[in-house]
């Protein structure tokens, strides 16, 4: 036989060997994890339920799923054995003592120098804004006059009984 014809079979056998080897490693790790179970340990089942181990038998585990509620599960149904800190964090909401600083609800407490409330803050407008304020009343009066004239024309057209569409002809 030629080596070229044997090469696909060799590759296939090698791939099968690698896949079975990784599956055996996963099974071995799962068995070690299940052997770590002892009464009082927190676990998560493959269905996602968190419980506390009460009793470990050869093939089964007695779990307390709620205070006073016990259920028997197969050892293979245990998905993960949890550490006490992680189990308490997930089930009871108890966070372990952490060194992280607490962030205040109000961001103003983060600043050391507080600005007085009665002092206005200059946003860079300065004198230009004051000049605009002084010129504002004059321009407002001028702008109001043409609008009043337009209103008179519109009212005058209504008084004459003319329709706006006839004027457009």
């Amino acid at each position: 036989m030629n080596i070229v014809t044997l090469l696909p079979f060799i590759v296939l056998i090698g791939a099968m060997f690698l896949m079975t080897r990784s599956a055996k490693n996963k099974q071995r790790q799962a068995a070690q994890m299940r052997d770590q179970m002892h009464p009082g340990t927190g676990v998560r089942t493959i269905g996602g339920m968190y419980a506390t181990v009460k009793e470990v038998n050869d093939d089964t585990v007695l779990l307390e799923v709620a205070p006073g509620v016990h259920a028997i599960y197969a050892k293979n149904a245990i998905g993960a054995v949890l550490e006490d800190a992680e189990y308490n964090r997930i089930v009871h909401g108890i966070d372990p003592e952490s060194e992280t600083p607490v962030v205040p609800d109000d961001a103003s407490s983060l600043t050391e120098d507080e600005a007085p409330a009665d002092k206005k803050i200059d946003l860079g407008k300065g004198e230009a804004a004051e000049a605009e304020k002084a010129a504002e009343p004059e321009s407002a009066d001028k702008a109001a006059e043409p609008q009043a004239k337009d209103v008179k024309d519109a009212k005058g057209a209504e008084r004459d009984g003319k329709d706006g569409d006839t004027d457009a002809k």
Side-chain angles (χ1 to χ4, degrees), residues 96-102:
E97 297 294 330
S98 62
E99 299 286 329
T100 58
V102 177

Side-chain angles (χ1 to χ4, degrees), residues 125-149:
K125 294 183 180 178
E127 295 173 8
E130 292 175 11
E132 286 179 19
K133 287 181 183 178
E136 196 173 271
E138 295 172 6
S139 63
D141 292 339
K142 290 180 183 177
E145 290 175 7
Q147 290 174 353
K149 186 177 179 183

Side-chain angles (χ1 to χ4, degrees), residues 3 18 20 24 27 31 48 79 85 96 98 100-101 103 125 135 142 146 150 156 165:
I3 189 133
L18 291 176
T20 57
K24 284 182 182 180
Q27 287 177 351
S98 62
T100 58
V103 178
K125 294 183 180 178
K142 290 180 183 177
D150 293 339
D165 294 334

Side-chain angles (χ1 to χ4, degrees), residues 9-31:
F9 294 112
I10 294 172
V11 170
L12 184 62
I13 291 171
M16 289 175 56
F17 173 74
L18 291 176
M19 287 190 298
T20 57
R21 183 176 171 195
S22 65
K24 284 182 182 180
N25 283 337
K26 287 181 182 179
Q27 287 177 351
R28 184 177 40 82
Q29 289 173 351

Side-chain angles (χ1 to χ4, degrees), residues 43-124:
V43 295
R44 183 185 70 233
T45 65
I46 58 174
M49 183 177 62
Y50 293 92
T52 305
V53 176
K54 287 297 176 183
E55 186 180 310
V56 180
N57 298 322
D58 292 335
D59 294 331
T60 61
V61 180
L62 180 66
L63 300 178
E64 183 177 28
V65 295
V69 179
H70 297 91
I72 298 174
Y73 278 81
K75 272 190 175 179
N76 293 338
I78 304 301
V81 176
L82 306 173
E83 295 179 9
D84 289 337
E86 183 179 4
Y87 180 78
N88 287 332
R89 181 184 60 81
I90 294 170
V91 175
H92 303 295
I94 301 171
D95 288 331
E97 297 294 330
S98 62
E99 299 286 329
T100 58
V102 177
V103 178
D105 292 336
D106 186 14
S108 65
S109 65
L110 297 175
T111 59
E112 292 178 16
D113 297 330
E114 294 184 15
D118 59 341
K119 183 180 176 185
K120 292 185 179 180
I121 299 174
D122 182 21
L123 297 176

